[in-house]
Every structure is written in structure tokens, then in C-alpha cells.
């Protein structure tokens, strides 16, 4: 069967698609990161007040990690229906789920009001957040990847990736402003709720934008071809999950390995560092938040540049630059922070996030190009989100536990370096994908079974 082709998306329409994906992912990551920052700053006092301060932080990060545990389930559910029904519908649903859970966190009673029910409710809402984010990422990057062409796919697909630093920037900026304007007592009493309640407004804006974009033309072409095969030859496709695990298991494992250093380093640099800088080094919350805020702005700016570079020299070389760089930076990273002062902290976090961007930028195009169209949402989502359970989920928890046990940063640096080595091996085993045509949907790309023509 000849490859199906689709006409390139006009530049104006592509920019609207990119804007819709970027704004949506920014809101989703704002909601997700807001929880992480609040876990480091106030949740240990509000929901686990009877614990030792560091133990309370560990428990707070444990509820933070629960959100990651739900992400693989979100990847399975959203991936299945995204490959069957389309990318757009599932992206709208993920935004509603994430925004609703975040808004509800802002209304939660604390331990002082309802006792042990408070952390239980917090955990349930965190599970909903994780489930929604597990389905968000794959759909957002695919919507852009499948509208663009191979020549600049790395650049355009990297823009939804900037939603992570943009969301971090927005979440940290709101928290930083509130901690600057409010006393500690006021922030702990009611100020922490404001950023969560603001999510309701952001979701309305995000929905309005996402509902205005078109479905992926590559997906529509693949769906039409599948329906034609069923009508003319009685051939029906296997479930996307079954097809991915049968024909793309190697790519799934590569994606999971590639995510290890990227995911672990990010949460050590942006979430755990709020704990380390304030409790170990003695810097103020405001200083730590401001450093992450400025570094996130730089992170946002460099991601498209790394994405564009991946279009020129390939996804693998850029990804390897990031993995090797993050591993090599860990000891200087902590040495700079241990010196104390805003300048040293800012330099440490900024360089760390720039190197992280070399992995994160090409990731969207890289993972999209690994899988056939009718199993791409499932494959990319499973590869990305299943690894988060072993990577990003426990990263702040492990780092905090290592700090409590050893009283220093050396074990934490070695932890990130080990993850970097794993990622280097995974990416080295991958095939270069930058020249793949996502519209190539040859008959054997999506396995099918034969049924009666009248089925």
C-alpha cells in the first residue's frame, strides 16, 4: 500500500496550533508545578503538622510523587482514545481534569480543620492531576508534530515543551509575589490558596483556545485509511497498546531510558533545590524562588534554540549533549549553592536548566518520530510517562532522604550522574529519526487482523 501523504500545514495555521498547544501545556504545568512548590514551602506545615520538619517535607513530597504514579494510567487511557478518536478531544478533557483538581486544592480544608482527612483529600486530587498530565503531554506534542513538516519539526515541536518552564515560571512567579507581599503568617493562613484558585481562570482561557484548533491532518489521513481497509478488506486494527508493545517495544524502552536523566535532573534542580537552599544553606524562601524564577525564564528561551539545532544535526547528538552536560554539572551545581548567596544559586540553577533543555527540546519530535501514526499517542505517552514513576516521582523524595541520611550533597549528585549514564546508553542505542515522514502510514505500520467484511 502506498504511503499516505498530507499537505503541509500553512505557516499561519501552524503558529495557531503551536500557540494552542503551548498555552494549554503552560496551564497544565502551572497546575502541576504549583503543587511541587507548595509541597516544598507550606504543605508540610498545613497537612503534616505533627511531623518533624524534614519528615514533614518528606511526607509532603510523597503526596507530590503520587501524582507521578497516576501518570502511566493517564498515558494508557488517553493514548488509547487519542489514537482512536483524535488528539484534540483528549487534550480538552485533560485540561478540564487538571484545572478542576487544582482549583479544588485551593478550597481544601487543612489538617487543623479536618485532621487526617486533609492529606487524604490532597492525595486524591494529586492523583487526578497526575492522570490528566499523563495524557496531556503526548497529545500536545503530537498535535504540533503532525501539523508540521520534517524540516523544522524539532523547532516547532519544542514549543509545547516550553510550557514546562513557562508553567514553572508562572507558578514560581505567583508564589514569589505572594511571599514578598504577605507575611509568613498570612501566606500560611490563606495566601497559598490564591495561586490554586487562579487556575480556574486559566482553564477557561485554555479551553477557548484549544477548541478553536483543527485535528491533526496526519491522524485524519491515517484514520481514513484504516476505515477504508476495514470497509474493503475486512481488516481491523489491533488495540494501540497491543500494537505498540508488539512492534515498538524497543522504542518504548529507549524513550523510558532517555527520560531518566531529563526527568530526575529537572525535579532536583527546580523542586528539591527549594528545600536544600533553605534548610541546608540557610537562604530565604524568597531568594530560592527568585533564582528558580529567573532560571526558568532562561530555560524557556533556550528550548526552541535546542530544538532548532536538533533539526540541523539530529535529535540524538543534542540529547546526548544534555545528558552528558547535566551529569558533569552536578558537583559544580551543589558547590555553587553551598557558597551561599543569590548569584551563586542563580548560576547553578540556570546552567542546570540550560543543559536540561538540550534533552527536553528534541524530546517531543524524537519520541513522535519513533511510532506509527495510529499508535503514536500511545507509544509516545507510555514511553514518556511510565519512566516518570521511577524518575521524576521519587526524585525530590530520594534527594531529601539522602540529605537527611548523609547530611551533604555528594550522594544526591551521584544519584543524578547515575541517571545521566543510563540516558546516555539509551540514546546511544536509538536510531536517528529527524528525517522521518510522519505521514508515512504504510500498511504494515499499523498491524491489523482480518474479520468478516460485514463485521
Amino acid at each position: 500500500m502506498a504511503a499516505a501523504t498530507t499537505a503541509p500545514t500553512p505557516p499561519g495555521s501552524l503558529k495557531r496550533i503551536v500557540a494552542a498547544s503551548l498555552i494549554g501545556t503552560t496551564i497544565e504545568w502551572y497546575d502541576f508545578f504549583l503543587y511541587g512548590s507548595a509541597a516544598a514551602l507550606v504543605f508540610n506545615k498545613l497537612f503534616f503538622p505533627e511531623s518533624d520538619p524534614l519528615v514533614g517535607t518528606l511526607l509532603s513530597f510523597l503526596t507530590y510523587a503520587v501524582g507521578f504514579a497516576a501518570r502511566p494510567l493517564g498515558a494508557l487511557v488517553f493514548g488509547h482514545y487519542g489514537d482512536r478518536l483524535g488528539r484534540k478531544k483528549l487534550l480538552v478533557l485533560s485540561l478540564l481534569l487538571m484545572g478542576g483538581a487544582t482549583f479544588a486544592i485551593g478550597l481544601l480544608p487543612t489538617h487543623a480543620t479536618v485532621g487526617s482527612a486533609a492529606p487524604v483529600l490532597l492525595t486524591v486530587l494529586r492523583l487526578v492531576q497526575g492522570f490528566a498530565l499523563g495524557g496531556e503531554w503526548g497529545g500536545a506534542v503530537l498535535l504540533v508534530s503532525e501539523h508540521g513538516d520534517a524540516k523544522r519539526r524539532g523547532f516547532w515541536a519544542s514549543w509545547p515543551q516550553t510550557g514546562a518552564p513557562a508553567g514553572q515560571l508562572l507558578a514560581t512567579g505567583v508564589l514569589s509575589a505572594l511571599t514578598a507581599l504577605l507575611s509568613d503568617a498570612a501566606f500560611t493562613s490563606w495566601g497559598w490558596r490564591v495561586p490554586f484558585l487562579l487556575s480556574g481562570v486559566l482553564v477557561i482561557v485554555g479551553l477557548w483556545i484549544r477548541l478553536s484548533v483543527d485535528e491533526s491532518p496526519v491522524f485524519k489521513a491515517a484514520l481514513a485509511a484504516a476505515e477504508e481497509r476495514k470497509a474493503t478488506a475486512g481488516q481491523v486494527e489491533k488495540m494501540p497498546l497491543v500494537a505498540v508493545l508488539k512492534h515498538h517495544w524497543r522504542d518504548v524502552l529507549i524513550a523510558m531510558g532517555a527520560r531518566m536523566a531529563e526527568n530526575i535532573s529537572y525535579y532536583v534542580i527546580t523542586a528539591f533545590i527549594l528545600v536544600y537552599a533553605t534548610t541546608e544553606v540557610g537562604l530565604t524562601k524568597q531568594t530560592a524562588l527568585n533564582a528558580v524564577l529567573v532560571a526558568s525564564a532562561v530555560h524557556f528561551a533556550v528550548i526552541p534554540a535546542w530544538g532548532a539545532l536538533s533539526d540541523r544535526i539530529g535529535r540524538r547528538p543534542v540529547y546526548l549533549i544534555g545528558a552528558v552536560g547535566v551529569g558533569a554539572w552536578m558537583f559544580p551545581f551543589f558547590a555553587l549553592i553551598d557558597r551561599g548567596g543569590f548569584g551563586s544559586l542563580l548560576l547553578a540553577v540556570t546552567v542546570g536548566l540550560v543543559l536540561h533543555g538540550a534533552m527536553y527540546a528534541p524530546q517531543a519530535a524524537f519520541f513522535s518520530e519513533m511510532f506509527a501514526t495510529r499508535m503514536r499517542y500511545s507509544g509516545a505517552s507510555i514511553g514518556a510517562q511510565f519512566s516518570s514513576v521511577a524518575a521524576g516521582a521519587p526524585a525530590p523524595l530520594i534527594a531529601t532522604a539522602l540529605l537527611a541520611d548523609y547530611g551533604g550533597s555528594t550522594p544526591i549528585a551521584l544519584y543524578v550522574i547515575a541517571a545521566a549514564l543510563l540516558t546516555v546508553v539509551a540514546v546511544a542505542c536509538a536510531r536517528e529519526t529527524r528525517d522521518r515522514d510522519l505521514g508515512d502510514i504504510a500498511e504494515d505500520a499499523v498491524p491489523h487482523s482480518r474479520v468478516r467484511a460485514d463485521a
Side-chain angles (χ1 to χ4, degrees):
M1 177 177 174
T5 58
T6 55
T9 303
S13 298
L14 181 57
K15 290 177 182 177
R16 286 196 297 273
I17 297 294
V18 170
S21 292
L22 171 57
I23 291 171
T25 53
T26 297
I27 295 169
E28 296 259 7
W29 283 112
Y30 165 80
D31 292 347
F32 204 75
F33 288 143
L34 182 60
Y35 189 104
S37 297
L41 298 173
V42 295
F43 281 177
N44 58 330
K45 302 171 186 175
L46 296 173
F47 294 92
F48 308 98
E50 297 174 356
S51 305
D52 170 83
L54 198 55
V55 174
T57 301
L58 281 168
L59 292 172
S60 185
F61 275 141
L62 186 59
T63 63
Y64 176 72
V66 162
F68 288 83
R71 283 165 67 170
L73 180 60
L76 289 173
V77 174
F78 279 80
H80 173 82
Y81 288 103
D83 281 328
R84 289 301 177 105
L85 304 177
R87 313 339 187 177
K88 177 179 172 178
K89 295 182 180 71
L90 276 299
L91 284 174
V92 170
L93 178 59
S94 70
L95 189 59
L96 283 172
L97 286 174
M98 176 68 85
T102 305
F103 186 82
I105 289 174
L107 300 175
L108 274 183
T110 63
H111 188 279
T113 305
V114 296
S116 59
V120 172
L121 293 171
L122 182 67
T123 302
V124 170
L125 291 174
R126 182 59 174 174
L127 283 168
V128 176
Q129 280 191 323
F131 179 78
L133 192 61
E136 160 69 22
W137 181 84
V141 300
L142 292 190
L143 198 63
V144 175
S145 295
E146 292 179 345
H147 272 86
D149 64 306
K151 186 177 181 181
R152 302 194 69 195
R153 186 181 300 127
F155 171 73
W156 289 117
S158 71
W159 278 101
Q161 299 291 76
T162 65
Q168 179 78 66
L169 192 64
L170 190 58
T172 307
V174 172
L175 284 172
S176 181
L178 288 170
T179 55
L181 294 172
L182 301 176
S183 65
D184 284 346
F187 181 77
T188 303
S189 175
W190 59 269
W192 69 271
R193 298 181 182 276
V194 174
F196 289 92
L197 297 176
L198 282 175
S199 179
V201 178
L202 296 175
V203 167
I204 294 173
V205 175
L207 283 175
W208 176 70
I209 294 172
R210 281 203 164 167
L211 288 170
S212 68
V213 302
D214 294 328
E215 180 57 79
S216 155
V218 172
F219 172 80
K220 288 191 289 187
L223 179 61
E227 290 175 345
E228 181 181 356
R229 284 196 300 269
K230 182 178 180 180
T232 59
Q235 295 172 342
V236 107
E237 293 173 318
K238 293 181 183 293
M239 288 179 58
L241 174 61
V242 173
V244 164
L245 296 181
K246 181 177 180 181
H247 297 272
H248 286 283
W249 61 268
R250 180 179 180 273
D251 295 318
V252 169
L253 290 177
I254 287 172
M256 292 175 66
R259 281 273 284 172
M260 296 303 289
E262 178 269 307
N263 220 217
I264 288 172
S265 66
Y266 188 79
Y267 290 105
V268 168
I269 293 170
T270 61
F272 168 73
I273 204 60
L274 297 176
V275 175
Y276 186 83
T278 55
T279 62
E280 187 72 10
V281 183
L283 297 173
T284 65
K285 289 187 295 186
Q286 189 66 46
T287 299
L289 284 169
N290 286 344
V292 174
L293 185 68
V294 176
S296 294
V298 176
H299 194 211
F300 179 94
V302 300
I303 286 176
W306 284 121
L309 184 62
S310 78
D311 285 328
R312 295 178 63 86
I313 67 174
R315 318 296 184 216
R316 293 171 69 250
V318 175
Y319 214 112
L320 288 171
I321 289 171
V324 173
V326 161
W329 182 242
M330 276 302 103
F331 280 112
F333 173 79
F334 283 108
L336 281 168
I337 297 171
D338 289 339
R339 292 174 59 184
F342 176 75
S344 297
L345 177 61
L346 177 61
L347 178 61
V349 177
T350 300
V351 174
L353 288 182
V354 168
L355 293 170
H356 171 270
M359 293 181 283
Y360 200 54
Q363 190 178 96
F366 191 28
F367 289 7
S368 298
E369 291 159 347
M370 289 181 180
F371 303 97
T373 301
R374 292 285 282 163
M375 61 185 83
R376 186 170 293 134
Y377 203 143
S378 296
S381 295
I382 291 169
Q385 303 307 333
F386 271 67
S387 59
S388 68
V389 176
L397 189 66
I398 290 173
T400 303
L402 290 172
L403 178 62
D405 288 345
Y406 295 95
S409 61
T410 298
I412 305 166
L414 292 174
Y415 166 53
V416 178
I417 290 170
L421 290 173
L422 180 58
T423 291
V424 167
V425 171
V427 176
C429 292
R431 294 182 290 269
E432 182 55 61
T433 62
R434 68 179 171 129
D435 294 323
R436 182 175 183 189
D437 179 7
L438 296 186
D440 183 2
I441 48 173
E443 185 176 2
D444 59 357
V446 183
H448 52 264
S449 58
R450 188 173 297 275
V451 297
R452 297 192 327 269
D454 60 346

